[in-house]
Amino acid sequence: MLLSKNRVIRRRAVVGLLVAASLTLLTMSYREGSTGVVGSVQNGAAEVTAPFASVAHRVTSPFVDAWHWTTGLIDARNQTAKLHRLEAQAGRDAALIKQLQQENTTLKGQAHYVQENPTFHPVSGSVIIQSPDSDTPSVMIGIGSNQGVQVNDPVVAPLSSGGALVGRVKEVTGSTATVQVLLDPAIGVTASVQNRQGANGTIVPSTGTPGELTMAEVPQSALVKDGDTVVTSGYTGRLKSLYPDGIPIGRVTYVQNDDLGQQSKQIQVTPFVNFDNLSGVVVLELK
Amino acid sequence: MLDYPKALMCVFVLMVLQVSVTPQLYPFGGGPDLIAILVVALALWRGIELAAVAGFVGGLLLDAVLYRHLGMTSLAYLACAWMVTSFAGRGEAGAGMLEPAPPRPLPWVIAGALLVQLCLVAVQVLLGVSYDLGFLVWHQIVPSLLQTTLLALLLLPLLRRLFRPTRIRPDVSAAAAV
């Protein structure tokens, strides 16, 4: 019992002394800072332990390097995954930007057309029905008389799709309009070959080649070559054309030079507008 | 009596490792407290005297090498030794009686390391150092506890070999030998 009591006292004394020593050192350290006895003790301790620390550092450095390599590898994989996510995001953003640019181009095109043709007011509309009837091809668009559309208004493709001639408005209701497209045999558009003097004619659908156009009644004397651009001539004489001049129609793909003494020749024209894939049009309303 | 040299040697080796090696392995911040593992092990297996001396010397060396206020870490380790010996539930045995088996050390290592961290924060705050609590908890205390726990799994078996827990009170066995 006495032995146990002595042990308890000794323990308490040791712990008490150590606590008192700690508090004393803490007070001294706080008052003196890094100078005086405390500072020299710290410098001495650092000097003594420095060689051991250096050895320990060297011995363990391969393991530390291996650890860093492993964690670096994990970090690299995480960063790769993050980069993949960012790349996907960038792709989506790029697609969005492209879409916005196209919209911007369309709107700019409309504005541009107004500048060039101050007598027309462009109204864009979506194609809601595309007629499957190949004899009288037409499309129905989602704008009508409520939006100011009238019969015989010229219809062009959006500038983003080339801005080429599509046809004319054939029928109108309040909210829809039927467009007679260039592939309709009943349509005829006065046209000319750009930059070719006297190369005027009438655009009609090709009889033997679906989807192609023929420019008929072109004078034999007119010099026309493959690749030339055909535009509306906008005839303004007594029989005024429905279409303003300069609207692109298509590109010359074949010139039939008639050597049988005929006065005119035919030119095959591929339209700029893809009538099978027409999603939107612009109706040019007369102001 | 060989316990003291062994304990002081362990203190020195662990202190060197703690200041030179483990800072390079911080994955999340903080750092393992190897001295706390030793203090808890000694408190459980050898009693408060040896644990207090080891904690005092270890804390003093750490403060000196890391240029902190001397005595600050010693106080924290002394509190750790006191807490473990007081609450670990290893009661006194009578003369000639077997002492009860020491409790599992790992939970006490976690508790001791936490107490050391809290004591260090308390002393720093008393000395006028201000802390961002969130940063302190998530970048110092929690990572330090996790790393200390992981390293304790490696270190405790080694320390157990050096300081094998006694089942018979040493002074009684010595008296019996005389």
Side-chain angles (χ1 to χ4, degrees):
Chain A
M1 194 66 184
L2 186 63
L3 200 61
S4 179
K5 228 176 198 177
N6 285 340
R7 280 182 63 193
V8 170
I9 291 168
R10 195 179 70 192
R11 283 176 180 173
R12 285 180 179 170
V14 168
V15 174
L17 277 173
L18 292 175
V19 169
S22 297
L23 289 172
T24 307
L25 283 169
L26 187 57
T27 309
M28 285 173 62
S29 173
Y30 187 68
R31 285 188 176 176
E32 291 181 2
S34 59
T35 59
V37 180
V38 174
S40 35
V41 167
Q42 286 184 324
N43 289 333
E47 280 179 19
V48 168
T49 55
F52 298 99
S54 175
V55 169
H57 192 277
R58 282 185 189 179
V59 168
T60 54
S61 61
F63 304 102
V64 172
D65 290 344
W67 169 260
H68 286 165
W69 184 84
T70 308
T71 52
L73 195 65
I74 293 168
D75 280 350
R77 291 176 69 112
N78 290 339
Q79 284 183 355
T80 305
K82 193 178 174 184
L83 283 174
H84 280 310
R85 284 197 299 275
L86 287 174
E87 191 182 7
Q89 180 67 40
R92 286 193 292 272
D93 289 347
L96 182 64
I97 288 169
K98 195 174 178 183
Q99 184 186 347
L100 291 173
Q101 279 177 337
Q102 282 178 348
E103 286 181 17
N104 194 25
T105 307
T106 304
L107 294 172
K108 273 184 179 174
Q110 290 176 8
H112 180 61
Y113 205 85
V114 170
Q115 272 188 334
E116 282 189 355
N117 299 276
T119 54
F120 289 99
H121 170 65
V123 179
S124 56
S126 301
V127 172
I128 52 177
I129 296 175
Q130 206 151 358
S131 169
D133 185 1
S134 60
D135 291 336
T136 54
S138 61
V139 293
M140 186 177 282
I141 57 176
I143 50 174
S145 56
N146 294 341
Q147 286 77 32
V149 177
Q150 293 179 349
V151 173
N152 287 335
D153 279 347
V155 180
V156 297
L159 198 65
S160 58
S161 303
L165 187 66
V166 172
R168 69 177 182 94
V169 176
K170 187 179 175 185
E171 293 168 1
V172 180
T173 67
S175 57
T176 62
T178 305
V179 178
Q180 184 184 28
V181 301
L182 290 177
L183 300 179
D184 188 334
I187 200 169
V189 180
T190 53
S192 60
V193 180
Q194 208 169 33
N195 300 324
R196 300 289 182 189
Q197 191 69 32
N200 299 315
T202 305
I203 288 288
V204 291
S206 283
T207 49
T209 319
E212 294 288 308
L213 302 172
T214 298
M215 186 172 172
E217 298 168 14
V218 180
Q220 281 287 354
S221 57
L223 180 64
V224 180
K225 288 186 175 177
D226 290 358
D228 284 348
T229 300
V230 177
V231 298
T232 53
S233 59
Y235 179 64
T236 55
R238 193 165 53 89
L239 295 173
K240 190 179 175 186
S241 173
L242 296 173
Y243 312 98
D245 63 330
I247 300 176
I249 295 174
R251 194 172 298 285
V252 175
T253 52
Y254 178 70
V255 181
Q256 182 190 27
N257 289 309
D258 190 355
D259 53 2
L260 296 176
Q262 291 190 0
Q263 299 260 320
S264 61
K265 59 183 174 184
Q266 290 192 344
I267 297 170
Q268 191 168 337
V269 177
T270 300
F272 288 130
V273 175
N274 182 4
F275 292 101
D276 294 331
N277 188 24
L278 201 60
S279 58
V281 294
V282 177
V283 177
L284 303 178
E285 296 174 359
L286 199 62
K287 281 185 178 174
Chain B
M1 285 307 289
L2 276 177
D3 281 347
Y4 279 91
K6 278 197 294 188
L8 293 178
M9 186 61 75
C10 285
V11 164
F12 188 77
V13 171
L14 293 179
M15 185 275 298
V16 168
L17 290 175
Q18 187 162 328
V19 298
S20 65
V21 179
T22 55
Q24 302 174 69
L25 298 172
Y26 293 179
F28 315 109
D33 193 345
L34 304 180
I35 304 289
I37 299 172
L38 176 68
V39 169
V40 171
L42 290 176
L44 287 174
W45 300 332
R46 283 293 184 272
I48 193 170
E49 274 181 54
L50 193 57
V53 170
F56 178 79
V57 175
L60 210 57
L61 284 172
L62 280 177
D63 289 339
V65 171
L66 298 176
Y67 288 93
R68 295 192 295 214
H69 292 300
L70 283 184
M72 190 172 69
T73 314
S74 300
L75 267 182
Y77 287 139
L78 286 172
C80 173
W82 171 82
M83 186 268 292
V84 173
T85 47
S86 300
F87 297 103
R90 194 178 184 198
E92 286 282 326
M97 290 173 64
L98 283 177
E99 290 197 0
R104 290 180 181 278
L106 195 59
W108 290 102
V109 167
I110 298 169
L114 177 62
L115 182 71
V116 169
Q117 293 290 328
L118 294 178
C119 282
L120 286 174
V121 171
V123 174
Q124 295 268 29
V125 169
L126 286 174
L127 291 175
V129 179
S130 59
Y131 282 111
D132 174 12
L133 189 64
F135 181 85
L136 190 72
V137 170
W138 296 113
H139 288 85
Q140 174 64 36
I141 295 177
V142 171
S144 175
L145 283 181
L146 286 173
Q147 293 167 55
T148 304
T149 307
L150 286 175
L151 281 180
L153 294 172
L154 298 173
L155 202 55
L156 283 171
L158 297 174
L159 292 175
R160 184 183 279 273
R161 290 180 71 87
L162 285 172
F163 306 99
R164 193 174 297 279
T166 55
R167 300 297 304 273
I168 299 176
R169 278 170 40 193
D171 48 359
V172 173
S173 57
V178 170

